[in-house]
Amino acid sequence: PVPSMSTDAPDALRPRSSLAATLRAYAADWLTIACLVLVECGIQRFTRPRHRYNCQLAGTCEDADVHYPLVPETFTFGMVVAMALVVPTLTVLYAQCVLRARSWVDASAAACAHLGAVTLTMVITDITKNVVGRLRPNFFALCEGDLEHCGNGRQSFPSGHSSASFAVFTVLFLYVCGKFGVVQPGKRRLYKVLLAMVALFLGFTIA
């Protein structure tokens, strides 16, 4: 006999989604994410930004706003990665344990959405960086005399920190809205929307 799917049944009697079955169901999504990761690694390894300005020639970069000193970042790349991993993970765990989602399908869908958004965003961002080749404001201080091979100094736009943070926290905002049921009739509450918007605030803060 097939176990009852009634939500009134005790937790111990509820059928739980199989991890193996869930992984098979989302195999295409995980494969797509893996392919995006490989593409991103290829972009980082084999491509170089466009030399929009030939700063080896005297006077070609004198008018460019690239003479700012090298100062520590407000949000380092490690901090952005930590927030992008820790905050969504804690949110999904809260939904699984406190809101009683308790579903491998829900957790896997959330993980695919976040990782897919981040990897796709970084691929698009890095391609755009290399095509645009815009100099960073601290180009001369960052390159320390090696202007010809200073690839990082030519990747100012678009911001990787901003694009990655908005990719993560926009998906998180939508996930929280779904769990709070803010679009369902009878469940809309302003405080729920404001709580969900904390995710967008984090994205704005990093940007």
Side-chain angles (χ1 to χ4, degrees), residues 14-52:
R14 290 181 188 174
R16 302 195 178 190
S17 55
S18 166
L19 175 59
T22 302
L23 291 177
R24 286 195 299 269
Y26 284 87
D29 298 293
W30 289 113
L31 180 60
T32 302
I33 293 172
C35 291
L36 288 173
V37 171
L38 292 176
V39 171
E40 172 65 12
C41 292
I43 293 172
Q44 294 286 344
R45 178 67 177 84
F46 299 109
T47 64
R48 295 293 180 269
R50 170 191 174 196
H51 282 213
R52 184 178 178 182

PDB file of all heavy atoms in Angstrom, residues 14-52:
ATOM      1  N   ARG A  14       5.330  10.323   8.077  1.00  0.00           N
ATOM      2  CA  ARG A  14       5.275  10.950   6.766  1.00  0.00           C
ATOM      3  C   ARG A  14       6.329  10.331   5.840  1.00  0.00           C
ATOM      4  O   ARG A  14       7.483  10.164   6.235  1.00  0.00           O
ATOM      5  CB  ARG A  14       5.544  12.452   6.876  1.00  0.00           C
ATOM      6  CG  ARG A  14       4.432  13.232   7.538  1.00  0.00           C
ATOM      7  CD  ARG A  14       4.785  14.703   7.567  1.00  0.00           C
ATOM      8  NE  ARG A  14       3.832  15.455   8.364  1.00  0.00           N
ATOM      9  CZ  ARG A  14       3.971  16.737   8.643  1.00  0.00           C
ATOM     10  NH1 ARG A  14       5.029  17.396   8.214  1.00  0.00           N
ATOM     11  NH2 ARG A  14       3.076  17.354   9.374  1.00  0.00           N
ATOM     12  N   PRO A  15       5.965  10.022   4.620  1.00  0.00           N
ATOM     13  CA  PRO A  15       6.964   9.551   3.658  1.00  0.00           C
ATOM     14  C   PRO A  15       7.896  10.695   3.288  1.00  0.00           C
ATOM     15  O   PRO A  15       7.438  11.802   3.026  1.00  0.00           O
ATOM     16  CB  PRO A  15       6.126   9.095   2.459  1.00  0.00           C
ATOM     17  CG  PRO A  15       4.856   9.877   2.567  1.00  0.00           C
ATOM     18  CD  PRO A  15       4.607  10.078   4.034  1.00  0.00           C
ATOM     19  N   ARG A  16       9.177  10.435   3.281  1.00  0.00           N
ATOM     20  CA  ARG A  16      10.145  11.475   2.979  1.00  0.00           C
ATOM     21  C   ARG A  16      10.691  11.267   1.576  1.00  0.00           C
ATOM     22  O   ARG A  16      10.884  10.141   1.134  1.00  0.00           O
ATOM     23  CB  ARG A  16      11.278  11.463   4.002  1.00  0.00           C
ATOM     24  CG  ARG A  16      10.774  11.658   5.425  1.00  0.00           C
ATOM     25  CD  ARG A  16      11.883  12.012   6.359  1.00  0.00           C
ATOM     26  NE  ARG A  16      11.388  12.248   7.712  1.00  0.00           N
ATOM     27  CZ  ARG A  16      12.114  12.751   8.687  1.00  0.00           C
ATOM     28  NH1 ARG A  16      13.367  13.073   8.484  1.00  0.00           N
ATOM     29  NH2 ARG A  16      11.591  12.927   9.885  1.00  0.00           N
ATOM     30  N   SER A  17      10.928  12.366   0.893  1.00  0.00           N
ATOM     31  CA  SER A  17      11.473  12.271  -0.449  1.00  0.00           C
ATOM     32  C   SER A  17      12.866  11.673  -0.381  1.00  0.00           C
ATOM     33  O   SER A  17      13.676  12.035   0.462  1.00  0.00           O
ATOM     34  CB  SER A  17      11.512  13.660  -1.090  1.00  0.00           C
ATOM     35  OG  SER A  17      12.223  14.572  -0.272  1.00  0.00           O
ATOM     36  N   SER A  18      13.143  10.755  -1.274  1.00  0.00           N
ATOM     37  CA  SER A  18      14.434  10.079  -1.298  1.00  0.00           C
ATOM     38  C   SER A  18      15.498  11.005  -1.871  1.00  0.00           C
ATOM     39  O   SER A  18      15.263  11.681  -2.885  1.00  0.00           O
ATOM     40  CB  SER A  18      14.333   8.806  -2.144  1.00  0.00           C
ATOM     41  OG  SER A  18      15.594   8.301  -2.446  1.00  0.00           O
ATOM     42  N   LEU A  19      16.647  11.037  -1.225  1.00  0.00           N
ATOM     43  CA  LEU A  19      17.749  11.862  -1.725  1.00  0.00           C
ATOM     44  C   LEU A  19      18.193  11.388  -3.096  1.00  0.00           C
ATOM     45  O   LEU A  19      18.425  12.201  -4.004  1.00  0.00           O
ATOM     46  CB  LEU A  19      18.919  11.815  -0.736  1.00  0.00           C
ATOM     47  CG  LEU A  19      20.196  12.542  -1.175  1.00  0.00           C
ATOM     48  CD1 LEU A  19      19.920  14.006  -1.433  1.00  0.00           C
ATOM     49  CD2 LEU A  19      21.290  12.368  -0.129  1.00  0.00           C
ATOM     50  N   ALA A  20      18.296  10.066  -3.272  1.00  0.00           N
ATOM     51  CA  ALA A  20      18.724   9.528  -4.562  1.00  0.00           C
ATOM     52  C   ALA A  20      17.726   9.881  -5.667  1.00  0.00           C
ATOM     53  O   ALA A  20      18.116  10.279  -6.771  1.00  0.00           O
ATOM     54  CB  ALA A  20      18.896   8.018  -4.464  1.00  0.00           C
ATOM     55  N   ALA A  21      16.426   9.760  -5.363  1.00  0.00           N
ATOM     56  CA  ALA A  21      15.404  10.092  -6.359  1.00  0.00           C
ATOM     57  C   ALA A  21      15.436  11.579  -6.705  1.00  0.00           C
ATOM     58  O   ALA A  21      15.261  11.967  -7.860  1.00  0.00           O
ATOM     59  CB  ALA A  21      14.027   9.696  -5.837  1.00  0.00           C
ATOM     60  N   THR A  22      15.676  12.401  -5.695  1.00  0.00           N
ATOM     61  CA  THR A  22      15.736  13.845  -5.929  1.00  0.00           C
ATOM     62  C   THR A  22      16.929  14.208  -6.791  1.00  0.00           C
ATOM     63  O   THR A  22      16.830  15.035  -7.700  1.00  0.00           O
ATOM     64  CB  THR A  22      15.821  14.597  -4.586  1.00  0.00           C
ATOM     65  OG1 THR A  22      14.685  14.257  -3.787  1.00  0.00           O
ATOM     66  CG2 THR A  22      15.837  16.093  -4.809  1.00  0.00           C
ATOM     67  N   LEU A  23      18.077  13.595  -6.509  1.00  0.00           N
ATOM     68  CA  LEU A  23      19.272  13.862  -7.315  1.00  0.00           C
ATOM     69  C   LEU A  23      19.062  13.439  -8.761  1.00  0.00           C
ATOM     70  O   LEU A  23      19.511  14.128  -9.689  1.00  0.00           O
ATOM     71  CB  LEU A  23      20.474  13.144  -6.713  1.00  0.00           C
ATOM     72  CG  LEU A  23      20.981  13.683  -5.367  1.00  0.00           C
ATOM     73  CD1 LEU A  23      22.133  12.830  -4.856  1.00  0.00           C
ATOM     74  CD2 LEU A  23      21.407  15.145  -5.492  1.00  0.00           C
ATOM     75  N   ARG A  24      18.377  12.324  -8.968  1.00  0.00           N
ATOM     76  CA  ARG A  24      18.088  11.894 -10.341  1.00  0.00           C
ATOM     77  C   ARG A  24      17.157  12.882 -11.028  1.00  0.00           C
ATOM     78  O   ARG A  24      17.323  13.200 -12.211  1.00  0.00           O
ATOM     79  CB  ARG A  24      17.465  10.495 -10.336  1.00  0.00           C
ATOM     80  CG  ARG A  24      18.446   9.369 -10.029  1.00  0.00           C
ATOM     81  CD  ARG A  24      17.852   8.016 -10.401  1.00  0.00           C
ATOM     82  NE  ARG A  24      16.631   7.740  -9.640  1.00  0.00           N
ATOM     83  CZ  ARG A  24      16.617   7.110  -8.472  1.00  0.00           C
ATOM     84  NH1 ARG A  24      17.762   6.695  -7.918  1.00  0.00           N
ATOM     85  NH2 ARG A  24      15.477   6.874  -7.846  1.00  0.00           N
ATOM     86  N   ALA A  25      16.174  13.377 -10.289  1.00  0.00           N
ATOM     87  CA  ALA A  25      15.218  14.317 -10.877  1.00  0.00           C
ATOM     88  C   ALA A  25      15.877  15.632 -11.268  1.00  0.00           C
ATOM     89  O   ALA A  25      15.487  16.266 -12.244  1.00  0.00           O
ATOM     90  CB  ALA A  25      14.071  14.575  -9.899  1.00  0.00           C
ATOM     91  N   TYR A  26      16.885  16.033 -10.497  1.00  0.00           N
ATOM     92  CA  TYR A  26      17.563  17.305 -10.756  1.00  0.00           C
ATOM     93  C   TYR A  26      18.919  17.103 -11.423  1.00  0.00           C
ATOM     94  O   TYR A  26      19.746  18.009 -11.433  1.00  0.00           O
ATOM     95  CB  TYR A  26      17.754  18.082  -9.454  1.00  0.00           C
ATOM     96  CG  TYR A  26      16.495  18.742  -8.960  1.00  0.00           C
ATOM     97  CD1 TYR A  26      15.591  18.056  -8.153  1.00  0.00           C
ATOM     98  CD2 TYR A  26      16.180  20.056  -9.317  1.00  0.00           C
ATOM     99  CE1 TYR A  26      14.429  18.648  -7.708  1.00  0.00           C
ATOM    100  CE2 TYR A  26      15.016  20.659  -8.870  1.00  0.00           C
ATOM    101  CZ  TYR A  26      14.146  19.948  -8.065  1.00  0.00           C
ATOM    102  OH  TYR A  26      12.989  20.542  -7.625  1.00  0.00           O
ATOM    103  N   ALA A  27      19.141  15.913 -12.001  1.00  0.00           N
ATOM    104  CA  ALA A  27      20.444  15.611 -12.607  1.00  0.00           C
ATOM    105  C   ALA A  27      20.781  16.591 -13.736  1.00  0.00           C
ATOM    106  O   ALA A  27      21.926  17.044 -13.860  1.00  0.00           O
ATOM    107  CB  ALA A  27      20.459  14.176 -13.129  1.00  0.00           C
ATOM    108  N   ALA A  28      19.784  16.926 -14.554  1.00  0.00           N
ATOM    109  CA  ALA A  28      20.034  17.854 -15.668  1.00  0.00           C
ATOM    110  C   ALA A  28      20.437  19.227 -15.156  1.00  0.00           C
ATOM    111  O   ALA A  28      21.315  19.894 -15.739  1.00  0.00           O
ATOM    112  CB  ALA A  28      18.788  17.961 -16.548  1.00  0.00           C
ATOM    113  N   ASP A  29      19.814  19.662 -14.055  1.00  0.00           N
ATOM    114  CA  ASP A  29      20.154  20.971 -13.489  1.00  0.00           C
ATOM    115  C   ASP A  29      21.579  20.977 -12.932  1.00  0.00           C
ATOM    116  O   ASP A  29      22.342  21.929 -13.148  1.00  0.00           O
ATOM    117  CB  ASP A  29      19.161  21.335 -12.387  1.00  0.00           C
ATOM    118  CG  ASP A  29      17.745  21.456 -12.910  1.00  0.00           C
ATOM    119  OD1 ASP A  29      17.475  22.372 -13.696  1.00  0.00           O
ATOM    120  OD2 ASP A  29      16.909  20.618 -12.539  1.00  0.00           O
ATOM    121  N   TRP A  30      21.937  19.911 -12.185  1.00  0.00           N
ATOM    122  CA  TRP A  30      23.296  19.838 -11.635  1.00  0.00           C
ATOM    123  C   TRP A  30      24.329  19.730 -12.744  1.00  0.00           C
ATOM    124  O   TRP A  30      25.425  20.308 -12.637  1.00  0.00           O
ATOM    125  CB  TRP A  30      23.413  18.646 -10.684  1.00  0.00           C
ATOM    126  CG  TRP A  30      22.660  18.832  -9.407  1.00  0.00           C
ATOM    127  CD1 TRP A  30      21.560  18.144  -8.988  1.00  0.00           C
ATOM    128  CD2 TRP A  30      22.944  19.779  -8.367  1.00  0.00           C
ATOM    129  NE1 TRP A  30      21.141  18.602  -7.761  1.00  0.00           N
ATOM    130  CE2 TRP A  30      21.961  19.597  -7.360  1.00  0.00           C
ATOM    131  CE3 TRP A  30      23.919  20.761  -8.204  1.00  0.00           C
ATOM    132  CZ2 TRP A  30      21.948  20.367  -6.197  1.00  0.00           C
ATOM    133  CZ3 TRP A  30      23.908  21.533  -7.049  1.00  0.00           C
ATOM    134  CH2 TRP A  30      22.932  21.336  -6.059  1.00  0.00           C
ATOM    135  N   LEU A  31      23.996  19.020 -13.827  1.00  0.00           N
ATOM    136  CA  LEU A  31      24.913  18.917 -14.958  1.00  0.00           C
ATOM    137  C   LEU A  31      25.103  20.278 -15.626  1.00  0.00           C
ATOM    138  O   LEU A  31      26.224  20.647 -16.015  1.00  0.00           O
ATOM    139  CB  LEU A  31      24.387  17.895 -15.969  1.00  0.00           C
ATOM    140  CG  LEU A  31      25.247  17.673 -17.215  1.00  0.00           C
ATOM    141  CD1 LEU A  31      26.636  17.174 -16.821  1.00  0.00           C
ATOM    142  CD2 LEU A  31      24.566  16.680 -18.165  1.00  0.00           C
ATOM    143  N   THR A  32      24.015  21.033 -15.747  1.00  0.00           N
ATOM    144  CA  THR A  32      24.109  22.375 -16.326  1.00  0.00           C
ATOM    145  C   THR A  32      24.982  23.277 -15.468  1.00  0.00           C
ATOM    146  O   THR A  32      25.817  24.040 -15.991  1.00  0.00           O
ATOM    147  CB  THR A  32      22.701  22.982 -16.466  1.00  0.00           C
ATOM    148  OG1 THR A  32      21.890  22.138 -17.276  1.00  0.00           O
ATOM    149  CG2 THR A  32      22.778  24.376 -17.083  1.00  0.00           C
ATOM    150  N   ILE A  33      24.817  23.203 -14.148  1.00  0.00           N
ATOM    151  CA  ILE A  33      25.642  24.006 -13.247  1.00  0.00           C
ATOM    152  C   ILE A  33      27.103  23.614 -13.370  1.00  0.00           C
ATOM    153  O   ILE A  33      27.999  24.479 -13.406  1.00  0.00           O
ATOM    154  CB  ILE A  33      25.147  23.844 -11.798  1.00  0.00           C
ATOM    155  CG1 ILE A  33      23.764  24.469 -11.635  1.00  0.00           C
ATOM    156  CG2 ILE A  33      26.126  24.472 -10.813  1.00  0.00           C
ATOM    157  CD1 ILE A  33      23.109  24.186 -10.297  1.00  0.00           C
ATOM    158  N   ALA A  34      27.376  22.301 -13.459  1.00  0.00           N
ATOM    159  CA  ALA A  34      28.759  21.843 -13.621  1.00  0.00           C
ATOM    160  C   ALA A  34      29.357  22.368 -14.922  1.00  0.00           C
ATOM    161  O   ALA A  34      30.533  22.779 -14.957  1.00  0.00           O
ATOM    162  CB  ALA A  34      28.802  20.318 -13.589  1.00  0.00           C
ATOM    163  N   CYS A  35      28.570  22.376 -15.988  1.00  0.00           N
ATOM    164  CA  CYS A  35      29.054  22.914 -17.266  1.00  0.00           C
ATOM    165  C   CYS A  35      29.348  24.407 -17.160  1.00  0.00           C
ATOM    166  O   CYS A  35      30.351  24.900 -17.704  1.00  0.00           O
ATOM    167  CB  CYS A  35      28.026  22.654 -18.370  1.00  0.00           C
ATOM    168  SG  CYS A  35      27.853  20.913 -18.826  1.00  0.00           S
ATOM    169  N   LEU A  36      28.492  25.139 -16.450  1.00  0.00           N
ATOM    170  CA  LEU A  36      28.737  26.569 -16.258  1.00  0.00           C
ATOM    171  C   LEU A  36      30.005  26.806 -15.452  1.00  0.00           C
ATOM    172  O   LEU A  36      30.760  27.748 -15.732  1.00  0.00           O
ATOM    173  CB  LEU A  36      27.532  27.200 -15.557  1.00  0.00           C
ATOM    174  CG  LEU A  36      26.265  27.358 -16.386  1.00  0.00           C
ATOM    175  CD1 LEU A  36      25.098  27.832 -15.517  1.00  0.00           C
ATOM    176  CD2 LEU A  36      26.485  28.336 -17.531  1.00  0.00           C
ATOM    177  N   VAL A  37      30.249  25.960 -14.461  1.00  0.00           N
ATOM    178  CA  VAL A  37      31.491  26.083 -13.679  1.00  0.00           C
ATOM    179  C   VAL A  37      32.704  25.851 -14.572  1.00  0.00           C
ATOM    180  O   VAL A  37      33.706  26.583 -14.495  1.00  0.00           O
ATOM    181  CB  VAL A  37      31.486  25.085 -12.503  1.00  0.00           C
ATOM    182  CG1 VAL A  37      32.852  25.048 -11.822  1.00  0.00           C
ATOM    183  CG2 VAL A  37      30.412  25.455 -11.489  1.00  0.00           C
ATOM    184  N   LEU A  38      32.642  24.854 -15.459  1.00  0.00           N
ATOM    185  CA  LEU A  38      33.745  24.596 -16.379  1.00  0.00           C
ATOM    186  C   LEU A  38      33.954  25.762 -17.338  1.00  0.00           C
ATOM    187  O   LEU A  38      35.098  26.141 -17.641  1.00  0.00           O
ATOM    188  CB  LEU A  38      33.483  23.307 -17.161  1.00  0.00           C
ATOM    189  CG  LEU A  38      33.526  22.004 -16.353  1.00  0.00           C
ATOM    190  CD1 LEU A  38      33.163  20.817 -17.237  1.00  0.00           C
ATOM    191  CD2 LEU A  38      34.901  21.796 -15.727  1.00  0.00           C
ATOM    192  N   VAL A  39      32.852  26.337 -17.809  1.00  0.00           N
ATOM    193  CA  VAL A  39      32.961  27.501 -18.694  1.00  0.00           C
ATOM    194  C   VAL A  39      33.622  28.663 -17.962  1.00  0.00           C
ATOM    195  O   VAL A  39      34.511  29.343 -18.508  1.00  0.00           O
ATOM    196  CB  VAL A  39      31.573  27.911 -19.220  1.00  0.00           C
ATOM    197  CG1 VAL A  39      31.645  29.254 -19.953  1.00  0.00           C
ATOM    198  CG2 VAL A  39      31.015  26.839 -20.146  1.00  0.00           C
ATOM    199  N   GLU A  40      33.212  28.889 -16.716  1.00  0.00           N
ATOM    200  CA  GLU A  40      33.802  29.968 -15.923  1.00  0.00           C
ATOM    201  C   GLU A  40      35.300  29.728 -15.698  1.00  0.00           C
ATOM    202  O   GLU A  40      36.108  30.658 -15.806  1.00  0.00           O
ATOM    203  CB  GLU A  40      33.072  30.082 -14.585  1.00  0.00           C
ATOM    204  CG  GLU A  40      33.699  31.043 -13.593  1.00  0.00           C
ATOM    205  CD  GLU A  40      33.676  32.479 -14.055  1.00  0.00           C
ATOM    206  OE1 GLU A  40      32.974  32.792 -15.039  1.00  0.00           O
ATOM    207  OE2 GLU A  40      34.385  33.296 -13.433  1.00  0.00           O
ATOM    208  N   CYS A  41      35.672  28.485 -15.402  1.00  0.00           N
ATOM    209  CA  CYS A  41      37.092  28.158 -15.224  1.00  0.00           C
ATOM    210  C   CYS A  41      37.859  28.395 -16.518  1.00  0.00           C
ATOM    211  O   CYS A  41      39.000  28.886 -16.500  1.00  0.00           O
ATOM    212  CB  CYS A  41      37.248  26.713 -14.772  1.00  0.00           C
ATOM    213  SG  CYS A  41      36.643  26.377 -13.102  1.00  0.00           S
ATOM    214  N   GLY A  42      37.249  28.049 -17.654  1.00  0.00           N
ATOM    215  CA  GLY A  42      37.897  28.292 -18.936  1.00  0.00           C
ATOM    216  C   GLY A  42      38.089  29.766 -19.216  1.00  0.00           C
ATOM    217  O   GLY A  42      39.131  30.183 -19.746  1.00  0.00           O
ATOM    218  N   ILE A  43      37.079  30.572 -18.871  1.00  0.00           N
ATOM    219  CA  ILE A  43      37.195  32.021 -19.058  1.00  0.00           C
ATOM    220  C   ILE A  43      38.339  32.571 -18.213  1.00  0.00           C
ATOM    221  O   ILE A  43      39.162  33.380 -18.686  1.00  0.00           O
ATOM    222  CB  ILE A  43      35.871  32.712 -18.698  1.00  0.00           C
ATOM    223  CG1 ILE A  43      34.781  32.320 -19.690  1.00  0.00           C
ATOM    224  CG2 ILE A  43      36.037  34.236 -18.669  1.00  0.00           C
ATOM    225  CD1 ILE A  43      33.396  32.808 -19.310  1.00  0.00           C
ATOM    226  N   GLN A  44      38.411  32.138 -16.956  1.00  0.00           N
ATOM    227  CA  GLN A  44      39.467  32.611 -16.068  1.00  0.00           C
ATOM    228  C   GLN A  44      40.849  32.165 -16.541  1.00  0.00           C
ATOM    229  O   GLN A  44      41.828  32.902 -16.399  1.00  0.00           O
ATOM    230  CB  GLN A  44      39.216  32.094 -14.642  1.00  0.00           C
ATOM    231  CG  GLN A  44      37.975  32.644 -13.973  1.00  0.00           C
ATOM    232  CD  GLN A  44      38.158  34.090 -13.537  1.00  0.00           C
ATOM    233  OE1 GLN A  44      39.263  34.600 -13.467  1.00  0.00           O
ATOM    234  NE2 GLN A  44      37.054  34.753 -13.244  1.00  0.00           N
ATOM    235  N   ARG A  45      40.929  30.970 -17.098  1.00  0.00           N
ATOM    236  CA  ARG A  45      42.235  30.392 -17.447  1.00  0.00           C
ATOM    237  C   ARG A  45      42.730  30.825 -18.814  1.00  0.00           C
ATOM    238  O   ARG A  45      43.936  31.082 -18.994  1.00  0.00           O
ATOM    239  CB  ARG A  45      42.127  28.859 -17.391  1.00  0.00           C
ATOM    240  CG  ARG A  45      43.408  28.127 -17.771  1.00  0.00           C
ATOM    241  CD  ARG A  45      44.507  28.374 -16.749  1.00  0.00           C
ATOM    242  NE  ARG A  45      45.706  27.622 -17.085  1.00  0.00           N
ATOM    243  CZ  ARG A  45      46.643  28.022 -17.936  1.00  0.00           C
ATOM    244  NH1 ARG A  45      46.495  29.186 -18.565  1.00  0.00           N
ATOM    245  NH2 ARG A  45      47.701  27.266 -18.173  1.00  0.00           N
ATOM    246  N   PHE A  46      41.839  30.919 -19.798  1.00  0.00           N
ATOM    247  CA  PHE A  46      42.307  31.057 -21.175  1.00  0.00           C
ATOM    248  C   PHE A  46      41.968  32.395 -21.832  1.00  0.00           C
ATOM    249  O   PHE A  46      42.382  32.617 -22.978  1.00  0.00           O
ATOM    250  CB  PHE A  46      41.722  29.925 -22.033  1.00  0.00           C
ATOM    251  CG  PHE A  46      42.130  28.553 -21.578  1.00  0.00           C
ATOM    252  CD1 PHE A  46      41.206  27.707 -20.974  1.00  0.00           C
ATOM    253  CD2 PHE A  46      43.429  28.116 -21.745  1.00  0.00           C
ATOM    254  CE1 PHE A  46      41.578  26.440 -20.552  1.00  0.00           C
ATOM    255  CE2 PHE A  46      43.812  26.847 -21.327  1.00  0.00           C
ATOM    256  CZ  PHE A  46      42.890  26.010 -20.729  1.00  0.00           C
ATOM    257  N   THR A  47      41.228  33.250 -21.208  1.00  0.00           N
ATOM    258  CA  THR A  47      40.865  34.519 -21.845  1.00  0.00           C
ATOM    259  C   THR A  47      41.529  35.686 -21.129  1.00  0.00           C
ATOM    260  O   THR A  47      41.880  35.598 -19.951  1.00  0.00           O
ATOM    261  CB  THR A  47      39.345  34.731 -21.856  1.00  0.00           C
ATOM    262  OG1 THR A  47      38.867  34.849 -20.502  1.00  0.00           O
ATOM    263  CG2 THR A  47      38.651  33.556 -22.530  1.00  0.00           C
ATOM    264  N   ARG A  48      41.697  36.769 -21.846  1.00  0.00           N
ATOM    265  CA  ARG A  48      42.295  37.987 -21.312  1.00  0.00           C
ATOM    266  C   ARG A  48      41.406  39.178 -21.671  1.00  0.00           C
ATOM    267  O   ARG A  48      40.757  39.178 -22.715  1.00  0.00           O
ATOM    268  CB  ARG A  48      43.701  38.199 -21.881  1.00  0.00           C
ATOM    269  CG  ARG A  48      44.714  37.131 -21.465  1.00  0.00           C
ATOM    270  CD  ARG A  48      44.990  37.207 -19.968  1.00  0.00           C
ATOM    271  NE  ARG A  48      45.958  36.191 -19.562  1.00  0.00           N
ATOM    272  CZ  ARG A  48      45.646  34.979 -19.141  1.00  0.00           C
ATOM    273  NH1 ARG A  48      44.360  34.611 -19.108  1.00  0.00           N
ATOM    274  NH2 ARG A  48      46.569  34.120 -18.789  1.00  0.00           N
ATOM    275  N   PRO A  49      41.378  40.190 -20.833  1.00  0.00           N
ATOM    276  CA  PRO A  49      40.543  41.359 -21.135  1.00  0.00           C
ATOM    277  C   PRO A  49      41.069  42.159 -22.316  1.00  0.00           C
ATOM    278  O   PRO A  49      42.272  42.159 -22.601  1.00  0.00           O
ATOM    279  CB  PRO A  49      40.603  42.176 -19.836  1.00  0.00           C
ATOM    280  CG  PRO A  49      41.875  41.751 -19.175  1.00  0.00           C
ATOM    281  CD  PRO A  49      42.054  40.310 -19.519  1.00  0.00           C
ATOM    282  N   ARG A  50      40.169  42.805 -22.974  1.00  0.00           N
ATOM    283  CA  ARG A  50      40.510  43.652 -24.113  1.00  0.00           C
ATOM    284  C   ARG A  50      41.365  44.828 -23.657  1.00  0.00           C
ATOM    285  O   ARG A  50      41.081  45.460 -22.647  1.00  0.00           O
ATOM    286  CB  ARG A  50      39.213  44.154 -24.749  1.00  0.00           C
ATOM    287  CG  ARG A  50      39.389  45.239 -25.799  1.00  0.00           C
ATOM    288  CD  ARG A  50      38.036  45.831 -26.131  1.00  0.00           C
ATOM    289  NE  ARG A  50      38.137  46.970 -27.019  1.00  0.00           N
ATOM    290  CZ  ARG A  50      37.163  47.840 -27.231  1.00  0.00           C
ATOM    291  NH1 ARG A  50      35.998  47.669 -26.605  1.00  0.00           N
ATOM    292  NH2 ARG A  50      37.321  48.852 -28.040  1.00  0.00           N
ATOM    293  N   HIS A  51      42.413  45.130 -24.419  1.00  0.00           N
ATOM    294  CA  HIS A  51      43.261  46.289 -24.126  1.00  0.00           C
ATOM    295  C   HIS A  51      42.638  47.524 -24.756  1.00  0.00           C
ATOM    296  O   HIS A  51      43.031  47.960 -25.838  1.00  0.00           O
ATOM    297  CB  HIS A  51      44.677  46.059 -24.645  1.00  0.00           C
ATOM    298  CG  HIS A  51      45.478  45.165 -23.743  1.00  0.00           C
ATOM    299  ND1 HIS A  51      46.830  45.305 -23.577  1.00  0.00           N
ATOM    300  CD2 HIS A  51      45.110  44.140 -22.946  1.00  0.00           C
ATOM    301  CE1 HIS A  51      47.269  44.395 -22.717  1.00  0.00           C
ATOM    302  NE2 HIS A  51      46.237  43.671 -22.334  1.00  0.00           N
ATOM    303  N   ARG A  52      41.681  48.054 -24.056  1.00  0.00           N
ATOM    304  CA  ARG A  52      40.959  49.217 -24.567  1.00  0.00           C
ATOM    305  C   ARG A  52      41.850  50.456 -24.583  1.00  0.00           C
ATOM    306  O   ARG A  52      41.713  51.324 -25.439  1.00  0.00           O
ATOM    307  CB  ARG A  52      39.732  49.449 -23.688  1.00  0.00           C
ATOM    308  CG  ARG A  52      38.817  50.553 -24.142  1.00  0.00           C
ATOM    309  CD  ARG A  52      37.613  50.628 -23.212  1.00  0.00           C
ATOM    310  NE  ARG A  52      36.720  51.695 -23.561  1.00  0.00           N
ATOM    311  CZ  ARG A  52      35.607  51.993 -22.872  1.00  0.00           C
ATOM    312  NH1 ARG A  52      35.288  51.260 -21.818  1.00  0.00           N
ATOM    313  NH2 ARG A  52      34.832  52.990 -23.246  1.00  0.00           N
TER     314      ARG A  52
END
